[in-house]
Amino acid sequence: MTTDIDIAHAKIHRLSRLYLTLSRCNQAVLESASESDLLASACQIAVDAGELAMAWVATIDPETGTIRVAERFGRGVEYLESVQISPDAEDPNGRGPTGTALREGHPVWCDNFMRDPRTAQWHALGERFGWSASASLPLTSNGHVVGALNLYLTQQNAFDAATRELLGEIAAVISFGLGRFALEAARQEAEDRLRDSEDRYRSIVEHSRDAILLTAPDGRILAANPAACRIFGCTESDILRLGRNGLVDTADPRVTAAVEERRRTGSFSGELTMRRYDGERFPAELSTSVFQTHSGEVRTSMLIRDVTERKRNEAQLAYLAQHDALTGLPNRLLLTDRLNLAIAQAERDGTSLALMFLDLDRFKQVNDLMGHELGDQVLHQAAQRLKACVRASDTLSRQGGDEFLIVLPNIGSPETAVPVARKLLDTLITPFSLGDREMVLSGSIGIACYPEDGTDADSLLRNADAAMYVAKDLGRNRYQFYSPAMNERIRERLMLEIDLRRAIERGQLFLNYQPQFAFTNRLVIGLEALARWQHPTLGLIPPDQFIPMAENSGLIVPIGAWVLETACQQQAAWIAEGLIDGPMAVNVSMHQFRQPDFIERVTDALSRSGLSACHLELEVTESVFMQDLDRVMQTLEALRSLGVRLSIDDFGTGYSSLSHLKKLPIYRLKIDQSFIQGLPLDQENAAIAGAIISMGKRLGFEVLAEGVETQEQARYLHSLECDAGQGYLFARPMAARECTDFLRDGAGATPAPS
Ligand SMILES: Nc1nc2c(ncn2[C@@H]2O[C@@H]3COP(=O)(O)O[C@H]4[C@@H](O)[C@H](n5cnc6c(=O)[nH]c(N)nc65)O[C@@H]4COP(=O)(O)O[C@H]3[C@H]2O)c(=O)[nH]1
């Protein structure tokens, strides 16, 4: 029988175990390394020291709000594996002591576990484990309920006031411990966050490619990042020593405005010149802003970007946009700009200016003959020479191709341009050397002056161009001032070109034939076909005038085909009549020769006319051999295998390489008439003619002299063993009918040299 004394003893015993529990929990709070450590110890202490059946701690998952078993100790903990407790009051699993304590934040005492309706769901377990009473004590952390300490006892009605107080204190001690851990965790987290943020800022500052400086209002620099050291070329302490004024180029006039803006608005961003440690100045983009530190000090942050490279690229781009890549001269864009400026200045000052349009003569031919690479070299050299002829205040520009424009600003009168034009022409005429080759060039210049020939850039350009066109027309290598009549002349030229297009179909072209003679017996050995144009209103137009026009416009191909066809027909007819037995020479222009179907055209002309190939001679100029020799050789070989004869016309005026010459399937050289003039007295011509004849003969070629006008020339050439001659001395070029008579009358009736 249980007596009051027994009850009192039991109570004292329980209380003393609970005091022990409290004391151990205090100890655990001090010794635990973590929250779970503390909770695990608390459960174990409650069971061991408090002599309870079982203890466990429920905590609320802060993320999901669900309740989980954090720690447990004692008899029956296995049931906790599958226990389900909800924080929700509507859920039957949430209406038990733990759910209620957690939700309502006060202890829930069950003095008779097995009878208490709140524990109805767990009576079977109570039965099994011998639980007679239970307590659920909320655990808090810094004022918030974070869990519940659940204790199970084997005796009923154990929760008297003193016990409740003691258990409350135990929960309070554990709560204190939890609060400490939470605070510690929060502090740690704050520290981590601070460190992270510091790391982030440091890495931004340290890895920035721009200089970042922190300065004080008195201009002292307090900190500088590694980029600042790299940009200014010194150490951080050097930068600190230099201070703000040591880094900015105070001579930059923009500095005052920048300082003023920063003072007024608290920030500045713009461009300034800065100085490196070694004194070198460089362009920089600056962005500064003034701010206050936490302790109230005024500071300025400066972000400095070195824009040297960007400026250099920009300048390079601007330069390229305004200059010609090949020669480095200003291009049309820059020239137009300068021309407009010069016009404005001339207008203001009442002065004149001259605009020159310079075009290199026959440069297309140079390009075709020598290839674009050498052509570019010529242009480059020409540009350098022209540049040396003008003043720094003049603008020389290349417009592309072989065209140059020169602005002479502020000249007294148009005549002032004359010596400059002469100088430009003279410098071009000096031979150009290209490796082991030399070449002679010339230019034609058109000059238009402000205000006489135009008061705006467009009309000056147009008129200088027209004047240049006329300079070319008048024989090239000359300058020509603009006059209003020129436009008319150019119009006429264009009309003439249009007329030429129709000349073939309208039957306005015809051929003249000039016989060629052997020096030995003065007999006709062949004929040359020479084209003529009978214009309906302008009369007879010489080939020197329309052949270049045809070459420039591409008309030379149909014209050349017509000449070939007609000459073959005519020769076939004369041969059939027995009037001649030699070849008919036909001039072939380079353009025509390079046509892919040239061989076909020759074969067609021969077969249509019935002329045998050996009665056709094709005259090409040296220029044909100067480019793409392999292809030229193929064409020449194909012609030779047809049986057609080939000769080089105007020999001596080009730049044939002798080594090439000996390989060519050529049968005749025609010495240009300019070397025949003045023979035999003209010593220079005598030497050249002599050299060509002896070289030609030695290489196995026949040699024919063109433009033989006098007996002296004929005699001299004969004495040099020149094979044949052609010229007014023997016969002029004649129309077909006249030539027929000539041949019938017994060609070769020219007086023999005495
Ligand atoms: N001063 C002088 N000149 C003489 C004498 N004997 C002949 N001539 C001229 O010299 C030129 C010889 O022709 P070329 O050198 O082939 O020079 C030709 C040739 O290069 C070109 N040409 C003429 N017809 C044709 C053609 O059908 N096709 C091509 N591609 N060019 C042609 O036009 C050039 C000039 O032809 P033309 O005016 O007919 O001029 C001809 C002829 O009339 C003389 O004793 N003294």
Side-chain angles (χ1 to χ4, degrees):
M1 198 179 96
T2 307
T3 63
D4 284 352
I5 294 175
D6 289 341
I7 293 170
H9 272 148
K11 186 178 174 183
I12 291 167
H13 180 77
R14 190 169 59 246
L15 289 178
S16 68
R17 297 310 299 187
L18 288 178
Y19 272 118
L20 183 64
T21 303
L22 178 62
S23 149
R24 294 240 174 113
C25 280
N26 263 324
Q27 188 84 13
V29 165
L30 292 176
E31 288 173 358
S32 297
S34 66
E35 187 181 297
S36 59
D37 239 20
L38 170 63
L39 295 179
S41 302
C43 292
Q44 192 175 348
I45 292 166
V47 173
D48 291 347
E51 293 182 347
L52 305 181
M54 197 262 273
W56 69 278
V57 174
T59 52
I60 306 169
D61 187 322
E63 305 267 291
T64 59
T66 55
I67 292 170
R68 60 186 190 86
V69 178
E71 296 299 338
R72 73 216 79 158
F73 198 78
R75 211 170 149 250
V77 288
E78 356 13 322
Y79 109 85
L80 294 169
E81 295 299 329
S82 56
V83 76
Q84 294 219 328
I85 297 167
S86 160
D88 186 358
E90 301 300 314
D91 186 335
N93 289 334
R95 286 201 286 269
T98 309
T100 310
L102 283 170
R103 202 167 43 250
E104 295 177 8
H106 58 75
V108 177
W109 311 102
C110 296
D111 277 315
N112 188 342
F113 186 85
M114 297 305 290
R115 292 274 159 87
D116 196 317
R118 293 171 299 180
T119 57
Q121 277 179 278
W122 300 286
H123 284 172
L125 287 168
E127 175 93 53
R128 188 163 140 219
F129 298 117
W131 298 335
S132 301
S134 77
S136 276
L137 302 157
L139 296 175
T140 60
S141 168
N142 302 313
H144 299 286
V145 176
V146 291
L149 174 65
N150 301 294
L151 305 170
Y152 296 81
L153 284 72
T154 46
Q155 329 69 346
Q156 291 174 9
N157 301 321
F159 300 129
D160 54 33
T163 303
R164 286 183 185 201
E165 196 175 325
L166 257 176
L167 287 172
E169 266 184 57
I170 289 168
V173 163
I174 297 169
S175 292
F176 170 78
L178 291 177
R180 221 179 44 120
F181 283 122
L183 278 178
E184 176 63 19
R187 197 188 55 77
Q188 189 63 46
E189 198 189 315
E191 224 170 58
D192 289 351
R193 229 182 287 136
L194 188 66
R195 195 172 324 108
D196 275 3
S197 117
E198 250 180 42
D199 280 356
R200 272 201 302 277
Y201 279 113
R202 177 164 301 116
S203 69
I204 290 172
V205 171
E206 283 187 354
H207 296 110
S208 160
R209 296 180 61 217
D210 300 328
I212 300 173
L213 305 176
L214 182 69
T215 68
D218 59 4
R220 272 177 309 126
I221 294 172
L222 307 171
N225 70 344
C229 302
R230 193 171 31 76
I231 290 172
F232 289 99
C234 55
T235 62
E236 186 179 8
S237 54
D238 290 330
I239 292 179
L240 303 195
R241 197 159 29 77
L242 282 172
R244 197 169 51 207
N245 290 347
L247 301 181
V248 177
D249 177 18
T250 42
D252 184 337
R254 295 169 294 185
V255 169
T256 327
V259 171
E260 175 55 30
E261 188 179 326
R262 198 194 57 215
R263 201 171 36 228
R264 201 165 34 80
T265 64
S267 66
F268 163 77
S269 55
E271 224 174 88
L272 284 183
T273 311
M274 309 219 61
R275 281 172 45 173
R276 299 191 211 280
Y277 193 66
D278 62 4
E280 187 203 347
R281 286 163 171 73
F282 68 96
E285 257 176 21
L286 230 81
S287 170
T288 68
S289 69
V290 179
F291 65 95
Q292 259 193 356
T293 62
H294 296 298
S295 49
E297 288 156 324
V298 175
R299 297 284 178 257
T300 302
S301 69
M302 292 175 80
L303 188 92
I304 300 161
R305 173 167 296 181
D306 182 349
V307 290
T308 312
E309 193 62 32
R310 201 189 71 202
K311 290 267 161 189
R312 202 176 293 141
N313 290 342
E314 281 171 6
Q316 178 80 5
L317 280 179
Y319 181 86
L320 289 177
Q322 295 194 317
H323 290 81
D324 163 49
L326 176 66
T327 59
L329 294 178
N331 61 14
R332 191 175 189 108
L333 196 77
L334 186 54
L335 176 110
T336 316
D337 197 45
R338 300 248 179 104
L339 180 58
N340 281 325
L341 277 177
I343 292 172
Q345 193 190 355
E347 195 177 355
R348 208 174 40 239
D349 304 346
T351 55
S352 284
L353 73 84
L355 174 67
M356 294 186 179
F357 201 123
L358 186 154
D359 190 279
L360 300 179
D361 297 330
R362 302 185 209 280
F363 185 72
K364 191 182 165 319
Q365 229 162 307
V366 173
N367 242 349
D368 287 350
L369 294 180
M370 308 178 87
H372 284 277
E373 216 165 287
L374 285 182
D376 282 356
Q377 279 185 35
V378 173
L379 280 175
H380 187 76
Q381 285 188 27
Q384 299 313 310
R385 288 191 191 178
L386 296 175
K387 203 169 165 186
C389 298
V390 296
R391 293 189 194 154
S393 53
D394 302 334
T395 301
L396 165 69
S397 83
R398 177 171 171 245
Q399 305 299 289
D402 55 355
E403 290 172 2
F404 295 86
L405 280 173
I406 303 120
V407 181
L408 306 181
N410 201 12
I411 55 168
S413 70
E415 286 69 43
T416 318
V418 171
V420 182
R422 284 218 183 98
K423 229 160 111 187
L424 293 168
L425 294 176
D426 286 350
T427 195
L428 287 178
I429 211 84
T430 318
F432 285 81
S433 56
L434 302 156
D436 56 348
R437 289 171 116 172
E438 267 209 345
M439 65 152 305
V440 184
L441 203 66
S442 64
S444 301
I445 301 177
I447 309 171
C449 295
Y450 170 93
E452 301 82 339
D453 307 326
T455 50
D456 59 79
D458 273 355
S459 45
L460 285 173
L461 283 164
R462 208 172 40 245
N463 292 340
D465 189 6
M468 184 278 295
Y469 200 73
V470 172
K472 286 227 183 255
D473 229 20
L474 292 176
R476 302 180 163 92
N477 187 27
R478 57 186 294 151
Y479 64 85
Q480 186 68 46
F481 278 95
Y482 170 78
S483 83
M486 283 176 179
N487 284 329
E488 181 54 23
R489 190 187 166 122
I490 289 166
R491 205 184 59 81
E492 279 170 8
R493 270 292 291 257
L494 289 173
M495 294 304 296
L496 200 60
E497 204 177 298
I498 293 168
D499 289 347
L500 182 58
R501 280 182 197 281
R502 299 182 189 137
I504 307 177
E505 58 196 70
R506 293 190 179 169
Q508 294 165 2
L509 291 183
F510 66 96
L511 293 183
N512 266 357
Y513 301 93
Q514 188 176 31
Q516 297 166 334
F517 290 81
F519 276 125
T520 41
N521 54 17
R522 297 296 176 109
L523 290 177
V524 174
I525 52 164
L527 295 162
E528 179 179 5
L530 295 159
R532 299 289 180 265
W533 178 17
Q534 185 66 47
H535 190 279
T537 53
L538 300 171
L540 196 62
I541 298 176
D544 284 346
Q545 211 175 319
F546 75 84
I547 292 287
M549 193 191 278
E551 272 169 355
N552 285 337
S553 60
L555 282 173
I556 194 68
V557 175
I559 290 177
W562 177 84
V563 171
L564 184 67
E565 194 81 36
T566 315
C568 286
Q569 301 278 356
Q570 183 60 71
Q571 187 69 345
W574 279 330
I575 289 175
E577 256 191 81
L579 294 178
I580 190 166
D581 190 31
M584 170 71 79
V586 174
N587 288 286
V588 175
S589 86
M590 183 170 74
H591 196 60
Q592 197 184 347
F593 185 85
R594 289 183 175 268
Q595 291 297 306
D597 62 350
F598 180 61
I599 304 285
E600 214 178 308
R601 280 183 187 254
V602 173
T603 331
D604 286 354
L606 287 173
S607 63
R608 267 197 291 269
S609 62
L611 186 69
S612 56
C614 65
H615 286 131
L616 176 64
E617 176 181 334
L618 297 179
E619 291 187 9
V620 291
T621 51
E622 287 165 273
S623 55
V624 163
F625 313 116
M626 293 199 187
Q627 212 197 355
D628 202 359
L629 198 61
D630 289 348
R631 219 179 101 199
V632 170
M633 282 299 274
Q634 276 176 15
T635 312
L636 291 175
E637 285 297 348
L639 289 170
R640 190 175 57 178
S641 56
L642 279 180
V644 172
R645 297 187 192 197
L646 296 160
S647 56
I648 303 183
D649 201 6
D650 304 336
F651 190 77
T653 56
Y655 299 91
S656 306
S657 136
L658 291 183
S659 56
H660 284 160
L661 203 59
K662 67 173 190 235
K663 290 188 221 141
L664 297 172
I666 292 294
Y667 110 100
R668 177 189 272 173
L669 297 184
K670 294 184 79 180
I671 311 174
D672 189 66
Q673 53 178 274
S674 60
F675 303 121
I676 306 302
Q677 279 166 23
L679 289 184
L681 295 179
D682 185 324
Q683 292 191 354
E684 228 172 80
N685 273 356
I688 295 171
I692 294 175
I693 295 166
S694 74
M695 180 211 64
K697 306 246 34 150
R698 222 168 297 150
L699 291 175
F701 302 138
E702 193 175 281
V703 183
L704 180 146
E706 289 185 303
V708 182
E709 293 180 349
T710 65
Q711 288 291 2
E712 288 75 28
Q713 290 169 335
R715 209 176 301 123
Y716 182 68
L717 288 161
H718 190 201
S719 77
L720 294 177
E721 297 188 356
C722 182
D723 302 294
Q726 178 181 343
Y728 298 164
L729 172 67
F730 305 110
R732 286 182 174 262
M734 296 165 277
R737 188 171 304 149
E738 201 185 339
C739 189
T740 309
D741 293 344
F742 180 86
L743 294 171
R744 253 190 213 130
D745 287 352
T750 338
S754 52

